[in-house]
Amino acid sequence: MGGSRLRAVTTLAVAGALLLGAAACAGDDDDDSGPAEDGSTGSFTLYSGRNENLIEPLIEQFQSETGITVDVRYGDTAQMAAQLLDEGDRSPAQVFLAQDAGALGAVSKAGMFDPLPDEVLEVVPEAYQGAGGDWVGVTGRSRVLVYNQELVDESELPDSVFELTEPQWEGRVGVAPTNGSFQAFVTAMRVQHGDDATADWLAGIADNDPQIRERNGQILDDVNAGRIEVGLVNHYYLHELAKEEGVPFEEMPAQNYYFPAGDTGALMNISGIGVLAGAIEDADVRTFVDYLLSTEGQAFFTEQTSEYPMVAEVDAPAELPELAGLEAPEINLNDLDSLEETVVMITESGLA
Amino acid sequence: MLLLAALLAVAVALTPVVYLVIHTVEAGWAQVFDALLTERVASAAGRSLGLAAVVTIGCVVLGVGSAFLVTRTDVPGRRFFGVLAALPLAIPSYVAAFAWISAVHLVDPRHVFEGFWPAALVLILCSYPYVYLPVAAALVGADPAAEEVSRSLGRGPWRTFAGVTVRQVQPAIAAGGLLVALYTLSDFGAVSIVRTDTFTREIFTALNMGFNRTMALVLSTVLIMLTVLLLAGESVTRARGARFARVGGGARRPPSRLRLRAGRWPAAGGLALVAGAALGVPAVSLSRWFVEGVSRPGSLAEITSATVNSLWVSALGAGLTMLLALPIGLLAARSPGTLSTIIERLSYLPHALPGVVVGLSLVSFGIYVLYPLYQSVWLLALAYAVLFLPLAVGAVAAAAAQAPPQLEQVARSLGRRPVTVFRTITLPLTAPGIGAGLALAFLTCMKELPATLLLRPTGMDTLATRLWTHTGVVQYAAAAPYAALLVVIAAVPTWLLVSRSGIMGKGGG
């Protein structure tokens, strides 16, 4: 009784297992071509925490110019960092491109990056690289207060992000507490003003009936449509939405406001790159890192994503306020790696 | 022996659960209790259960109502509505949620569409076909004799409906309702977009916040406990409900149709309203995105490769799902008993886990146990099989239950070899169920997102991941073709499910 079914099922199962095995072997074949003398294999794997829409044209440009194939895995920056930490030394990745210094710091802390060569480190200002020289910034992005011009008068805008806890801002401020860039900003506040002042600020925002969103993009969408009056986001979202809508950004209802006088609200964070252990010897990887920091690579970011360049010779995007005119807080990005504590504080405040 | 195969299948499906338990134990009980015994967790759990209850009730009302109208009444355009009522199955919950927000903003740009009731609305409209399809099939296949007896004893049409018809299809309602409840517990797309703090969202928040995977996994164990409660509850109602299999010989007759008279047009209006909300709103929003945005539309090559990838991984996923579901479904139908019930119930457990948790557990499993399969489509197919197993088990079990075991016994007593019996009798008899299960698993794989993002091979995009990439940077126009294509392709298996169910009036089941 039942033997027939078992046999049929077993046959199917065995067939399935064989297929799995065959696929596994087939997968191995890809790596057969051994490395050339300079460690180059003609391809490498990149984990990108940056959105595919923003970065893919650049990668295509790189591939067609160098003939090197880049296998890219896209995801959220935090998600990619967590996956790298899970994978450890078995990670298939050679390069990690992240949207924020905190994620690079976390992977760096786990000792998974190779130190970068001096020629690379010389190109990027020291303020925008890892303390161990194992990651560098590729672009700069400023935190801003985005506001709806029709709902908020310019004279009403606060001098400091600390003012947003005051009663006149009740119910009017959009925040994305689970988002990495908000967390990096809160960490910066802790670095600049200490844990007590930061805890007070978080509690004040939480009590002020904030408009909580998942992503920066949603905050910007809602500010632009007038559903929220102001919101804490990064500067380039406005320019992306303007491009999506085909409107010059000056004509959008939403506008960016850069906090003055070194206020934490104007933190200048980076998107950056780290090379995973053992891959720095790979000539292809090196070519890629150099390309991102080349005039051509940097110009791509300023033109396509409206971010600040890291390399002195490249001009900042015309639509942005001059970097020299911005009064960003003086914070060492390496100090933004105490993310765990920040997360605990955000959770305790009830914001997330 | 079938038991062995079923045990093996369920063991594979429970891999993520085992992983969760290991991690929870590793975390240490002190941390587990600290994490769990908070007001937040309690309120999220309460909200999740509340949402599951509301969505399930809503789906049962819409699902049973539509099924009854299109199979048992003379409502105008019943075949047309019979197909329309199943089609929302093709729309992913995250697309529906985006569409609703966008539609609401079209009417009132300042309105904020968020919270419990909007989430419930979107989820009901996306998932009522899980009830509608099995109930409609059961109504078509049910024996009209019992109803005729009831009518002849002087009961009115409505009392007959409530007392006889509904009880006949009760197992189908319970099975569909259970799938809806489990789906609601695990859904992330809709609840995150319309912002309701359910348990699944709590898990995602824990994950997003500072790479704290342990917390997310600990929270997932609570979701498993909620699921066990739900399954136990459903088992109790099932044990009380009697079976209503048709006995005796004779040809199957089509059931009589209720004349709605003056109610015909209001009934049709109701069906049209549901279809408008479930299908019309997404259609309008998608068309608007097409027309309004100016972002770079995906090149033809990109769209083609995403489509091919979607079809390929979904076919693989559906195949593997069915491979695991066959022994479990056959066991449940052929040797009912405590053990087979437990095995069948166990196969439902991972269905309530969010895709991201199953994805994460298989990432670890891939890295430490099956490294050659890591970031291959095979591991992704395994994730699909684990997530969607109950959909296929249900279909196989239902079909096998309708096929009388006497046929197999007779064949064997006549000296046929067991393999031949399986090939010539069992398989053909359960084929409709296998087909239905494959179609359902396939279209669900097409829509799946979080596990796909985590497990897909590097560089491979599907329609769902492309769609997500574009909406992530507010490029709705670029997202629109992928969303539309996804819905259109998923509509094909949905249509197959409808035509198989007998709602169209062909074959009678």
Side-chain angles (χ1 to χ4, degrees):
Chain A
M1 292 288 277
S4 61
R5 275 181 236 112
L6 172 70
R7 231 163 294 164
V9 169
T10 322
T11 314
L12 286 172
V14 170
L18 285 176
L19 275 172
L20 289 173
C25 297
D28 287 343
D29 289 347
D30 296 346
D31 304 326
D32 272 358
S33 54
E37 274 182 27
D38 59 354
S40 144
T41 53
S43 74
F44 65 91
T45 300
L46 169 72
Y47 277 18
S48 171
R50 300 207 61 168
N51 189 285
E52 179 168 4
N53 284 295
L54 305 181
I55 198 90
E56 206 205 5
L58 177 73
I59 289 176
E60 270 171 15
Q61 204 174 303
F62 171 78
Q63 294 190 130
S64 69
E65 279 177 30
T66 60
I68 297 168
T69 309
V70 190
D71 297 316
V72 198
R73 187 170 191 82
Y74 293 98
D76 286 345
T77 290
Q79 196 190 82
M80 284 281 123
Q83 188 155 349
L84 278 170
L85 295 176
D86 257 9
E87 290 169 351
D89 55 9
R90 303 192 96 168
S91 177
Q94 272 93 48
V95 184
F96 179 35
L97 180 59
Q99 258 189 31
D100 111 87
L104 289 166
V107 180
S108 165
K109 242 186 189 173
M112 290 178 64
F113 285 145
D114 268 341
L116 295 166
D118 291 342
E119 305 92 89
V120 172
L121 296 173
E122 277 162 14
V123 183
V124 178
E126 215 177 312
Y128 301 122
Q129 45 179 268
D134 59 353
W135 57 262
V136 288
V138 172
T139 64
R141 55 258 309 273
S142 176
R143 294 288 292 172
V144 292
L145 185 72
V146 66
Y147 66 103
N148 186 304
Q149 298 184 86
E150 291 149 19
L151 302 175
V152 182
D153 194 76
E154 223 173 310
S155 63
E156 217 190 326
L157 293 168
D159 288 333
S160 161
V161 74
F162 280 93
E163 288 176 33
L164 294 177
T165 58
E166 289 171 9
Q168 70 264 32
W169 292 105
E170 190 176 341
R172 301 165 73 189
V173 186
V175 287
T178 55
N179 187 278
S181 56
F182 179 83
Q183 292 166 13
F185 148 73
V186 174
T187 312
M189 188 182 270
R190 292 176 46 226
V191 170
Q192 215 179 0
H193 299 280
D195 282 5
D196 291 343
T198 306
D200 287 347
W201 183 81
L202 285 169
I205 290 287
D207 288 344
N208 226 1
D209 189 22
Q211 304 276 327
I212 293 176
R213 298 290 182 269
E214 199 90 16
R215 298 168 167 211
N216 287 318
Q218 292 169 334
I219 295 182
L220 182 72
D221 247 3
D222 285 352
V223 169
N224 201 47
R227 286 181 291 275
I228 306 181
E229 294 185 36
V230 302
L232 290 170
V233 296
N234 293 336
H235 80 267
Y236 51 86
Y237 285 93
L238 173 70
H239 303 284
E240 272 166 26
L241 187 64
K243 275 176 202 151
E244 162 78 8
E245 298 199 343
V247 187
F249 88 97
E250 303 91 340
E251 290 171 24
M252 304 271 285
Q255 288 298 316
N256 280 340
Y257 169 68
Y258 297 77
F259 287 100
D263 189 77
T264 322
L267 171 73
M268 182 67 80
N269 204 336
I270 50 111
S271 76
I273 196 165
V275 173
L276 288 134
I280 197 66
E281 304 297 330
D282 186 328
D284 300 330
V285 168
R286 181 61 199 280
T287 310
F288 183 68
V289 174
D290 288 341
Y291 187 78
L292 290 181
L293 297 171
S294 71
T295 317
E296 199 181 354
Q298 292 281 297
F300 170 85
F301 289 110
T302 59
E303 284 157 22
Q304 300 301 314
T305 66
S306 301
E307 290 171 285
Y308 287 104
M310 281 286 121
V311 177
E313 299 87 77
V314 181
D315 292 331
E319 65 269 28
L320 297 190
E322 287 221 27
L323 193 55
L326 290 185
E327 300 164 278
E330 281 179 26
I331 286 171
N332 187 335
L333 293 177
N334 288 287
D335 295 337
L336 299 185
D337 63 355
S338 58
L339 195 60
E340 295 280 350
E341 291 89 328
T342 301
V343 167
V344 170
M345 287 174 65
I346 294 176
T347 312
E348 280 174 355
S349 74
L351 275 175
Chain B
M1 311 231 202
L2 180 61
L3 186 68
L4 264 180
L7 277 173
L8 190 75
V10 94
V12 171
L14 288 181
T15 311
V17 178
V18 172
Y19 170 81
L20 281 183
V21 171
I22 291 174
H23 259 259
T24 311
V25 172
E26 271 179 4
W29 295 108
Q31 193 190 338
V32 172
F33 283 117
D34 270 2
L36 295 186
L37 301 177
T38 65
E39 205 180 308
R40 255 175 96 102
V41 167
S43 87
R47 199 171 294 114
S48 272
L49 286 177
L51 190 65
V54 169
V55 172
T56 308
I57 292 169
C59 286
V60 166
V61 170
L62 283 192
V64 175
S66 322
F68 182 75
L69 284 177
V70 302
T71 59
R72 291 298 184 85
T73 71
D74 59 350
V75 68
R78 50 180 203 85
R79 287 192 186 174
F80 176 65
F81 285 123
V83 177
L84 281 196
L87 283 181
L89 214 50
I91 301 172
S93 74
Y94 48 87
V95 171
F98 269 127
W100 268 88
I101 288 187
S102 160
V104 167
H105 288 172
L106 189 65
V107 179
D108 174 8
R110 294 278 166 93
H111 185 83
V112 178
F113 186 76
E114 67 173 41
F116 185 91
W117 293 105
L121 175 76
V122 170
L123 284 170
I124 288 172
L125 291 175
C126 285
S127 41
Y128 81 88
Y130 282 123
V131 177
Y132 164 77
L133 276 172
V135 171
L139 281 172
V140 169
D143 190 357
E147 287 167 31
E148 286 158 14
V149 169
S150 168
R151 293 297 298 275
S152 73
L153 291 173
R155 285 199 193 175
W158 293 110
R159 277 190 65 201
T160 300
F161 172 67
V164 178
T165 317
V166 168
R167 290 190 63 199
Q168 276 186 328
V169 296
Q170 197 179 313
I173 299 175
L178 181 63
L179 287 181
V180 171
L182 294 179
Y183 177 76
T184 307
L185 284 183
S186 71
D187 177 72
F188 175 68
V191 297
S192 85
I193 290 161
V194 301
R195 290 186 288 277
T196 312
D197 283 314
T198 62
F199 215 83
T200 306
R201 192 147 173 255
E202 197 78 6
I203 292 172
F204 271 73
T205 305
L207 257 185
N208 272 343
M209 303 276 287
F211 325 118
N212 188 353
R213 297 197 161 192
T214 305
M215 178 69 185
L217 298 176
V218 168
L219 288 173
S220 299
T221 56
V222 180
L223 204 51
I224 294 203
M225 286 185 244
L226 293 181
T227 312
V228 171
L229 282 179
L230 203 70
L231 290 172
E234 199 265 345
S235 295
V236 170
T237 63
R238 191 193 267 211
R240 273 202 240 111
R243 293 269 167 202
F244 292 92
R246 204 167 62 99
V247 283
R252 183 177 277 173
R253 286 171 303 134
S256 59
R257 287 191 190 286
L258 190 69
R259 296 200 173 280
L260 293 173
R261 300 174 205 283
R264 286 182 80 213
W265 293 103
L271 289 173
L273 192 71
V274 173
L279 300 169
V281 168
V284 168
S285 294
L286 280 179
S287 330
R288 271 187 64 220
W289 294 342
F290 260 128
V291 177
E292 279 191 359
V294 293
S295 58
R296 183 177 68 108
S299 74
L300 204 58
E302 261 176 20
I303 294 182
T304 312
S305 94
T307 308
V308 171
N309 286 337
S310 270
L311 292 172
W312 159 231
V313 295
S314 302
L316 206 63
L320 192 61
T321 307
M322 189 43 76
L323 201 67
L324 295 181
L326 261 180
I328 300 174
L330 287 176
L331 183 76
R334 280 291 180 270
S335 27
T338 316
L339 187 60
S340 69
T341 308
I342 291 175
I343 290 178
E344 193 214 352
R345 302 274 96 178
L346 280 178
S347 75
Y348 276 73
L349 269 188
H351 193 56
L353 286 176
V356 72
V357 171
V358 170
L360 277 178
S361 72
L362 287 178
V363 164
S364 277
F365 195 63
I367 293 169
Y368 299 111
V369 185
L370 288 173
Y371 192 68
L373 296 190
Y374 185 56
Q375 290 184 1
S376 73
V377 286
W378 302 96
L379 208 59
L380 181 57
L382 182 61
Y384 290 155
V386 167
L387 283 167
F388 308 132
L389 192 57
L391 302 177
V393 168
V396 172
Q402 277 180 0
Q406 290 89 340
L407 291 181
E408 289 162 23
Q409 287 157 11
V410 169
R412 228 168 280 149
S413 73
L414 292 174
R416 291 271 191 98
R417 291 179 51 231
V419 179
T420 320
V421 175
F422 180 81
R423 192 170 48 78
T424 58
I425 295 177
T426 314
L427 216 51
L429 283 175
T430 44
I434 295 175
L438 277 173
L440 198 54
F442 178 83
L443 82 95
T444 319
C445 292
M446 290 272 302
K447 298 190 291 178
E448 207 285 334
L449 184 64
T452 312
L453 284 173
L454 281 169
L455 293 169
R456 66 196 161 136
T458 294
M460 192 192 78
D461 270 305
T462 66
L463 291 170
T465 65
R466 279 275 171 204
L467 175 57
W468 191 248
T469 304
H470 290 299
T471 53
V473 284
V474 291
Q475 292 181 331
Y476 295 117
Y482 294 102
L485 209 54
L486 180 59
V487 171
V488 167
I489 295 178
V492 174
T494 310
W495 196 84
L496 284 177
L497 284 172
V498 182
S499 55
R500 276 249 170 256
S501 69
I503 301 162
M504 306 291 291
K506 274 178 259 164

